Amino acid sequence: MVVTFLYILYHVWKMTFEPRLPASTHVLRDAGVSVARQASNTSDGVPHSESTEETAANSCPTNHMGTLTSTPNQEEQDDELELLSGDVYDIIKDIRDPEKPNTLEELKVVNEEGIHLARLDHIEEDAYTVHIAFTPTVPHCSLATLIGLCIRVKLERNLPYKHKVNIVIQKGTHSTEDSINKQINDKERIAAAMENPNLRELVEKCIKEDDY
């Protein structure tokens, strides 16, 4: 009995006076587990938690999706520019050659492939650059400058929108194309040319529309 009594007394003492782990110890233990979990989701110091990956996925749409979204608008703009290019061709194709009774279309001086338009949205919504490349009938044509002047004058009078016209000779089709390109795109020279009565009369004759 004495042994039994001592055994019971020992356990009572142990339960009463043995230091207990404070509650904070459990908090630290849980925190340690949390830190361990975060460490397992980290590679080379870069966290890879689910929330981080989801945020990155939502904030960085793929270029592929962006391309699909913008395609319809781009197609509409291309269709619009193609229609406007056709309108420009209709304006200049019936200009008559200064020496021959034929039109520039009949002589293949101008064609639809040589006309390109681009939007000038930074200036105004309905504003365009009109680029035209024409081909003189012969590489040494002496009237190439006059043809370019006729094209410019007719466009300036007939284009219904704000524009910037750039007219050039098709590369490699004239012996002095660089010099002529500068002349037919120089505003001062164009204005001076149109002040010459004889030259103005010739231009008016070439761009005059036939009465049907």
Side-chain angles (χ1 to χ4, degrees):
M1 293 182 61
V2 174
V3 175
T4 304
F5 174 78
L6 291 175
Y7 182 81
I8 295 172
L9 183 62
Y10 169 78
H11 281 283
V12 170
W13 175 85
K14 184 176 181 181
M15 294 176 60
T16 305
F17 298 101
E18 184 181 26
R20 295 182 180 179
L21 293 175
S24 59
T25 303
H26 300 286
V27 175
L28 291 174
R29 183 187 62 189
D30 295 340
V33 174
S34 177
V35 170
R37 288 176 179 173
Q38 291 182 7
S40 66
N41 291 328
T42 304
S43 175
D44 298 330
V46 180
H48 297 288
S49 64
E50 293 181 0
S51 59
T52 303
E53 293 175 352
E54 290 174 359
T55 302
N58 292 332
S59 62
C60 300
T62 62
N63 292 333
H64 181 61
M65 291 300 294
T67 301
L68 290 176
T69 301
S70 62
T71 297
N73 290 335
Q74 186 62 48
E75 290 179 353
E76 290 176 4
Q77 290 183 14
D78 291 344
D79 291 342
E80 178 191 18
L81 294 177
E82 186 176 351
L83 288 173
L84 292 176
S85 296
D87 293 340
V88 170
Y89 181 70
D90 289 339
I91 292 173
I92 66 175
K93 67 184 180 64
D94 293 327
I95 296 175
R96 299 209 168 266
D97 184 86
E99 289 183 322
K100 303 174 182 179
N102 307 90
T103 66
L104 298 186
E105 180 185 40
E106 293 170 343
L107 295 172
K108 301 187 185 306
V109 173
V110 295
N111 54 59
E112 294 186 74
E113 289 73 20
I115 301 173
H116 301 281
L117 272 73
R119 297 183 67 90
L120 290 173
D121 290 335
H122 64 284
I123 296 178
E124 192 170 322
E125 183 177 354
D126 292 324
Y128 302 87
T129 294
V130 181
H131 179 86
I132 298 176
F134 70 95
T135 305
T137 52
V138 290
H140 54 275
C141 178
S142 59
L143 297 174
T145 304
L146 181 57
I147 291 174
L149 181 60
C150 290
I151 293 173
R152 179 174 293 278
V153 170
K154 190 158 189 186
L155 286 175
E156 296 288 356
R157 292 182 182 179
N158 290 275
L159 289 178
Y161 43 79
K162 289 190 176 182
H163 54 269
K164 178 181 179 182
V165 177
N166 183 45
I167 303 172
V168 298
I169 293 176
Q170 197 74 259
K171 192 71 175 176
T173 60
H174 198 279
S175 56
T176 59
E177 60 189 54
D178 292 336
S179 175
I180 294 176
N181 289 342
K182 291 180 181 179
Q183 293 180 45
I184 59 181
N185 289 290
D186 188 316
K187 292 182 178 180
E188 293 183 359
R189 291 188 180 186
I190 294 168
M194 291 304 293
E195 289 177 359
N196 184 312
N198 295 329
L199 186 57
R200 184 172 64 249
E201 181 181 358
L202 184 56
V203 170
E204 295 291 350
K205 181 180 178 181
C206 291
I207 67 175
K208 181 182 178 180
E209 306 222 355
D210 292 333
D211 296 327
Y212 293 101

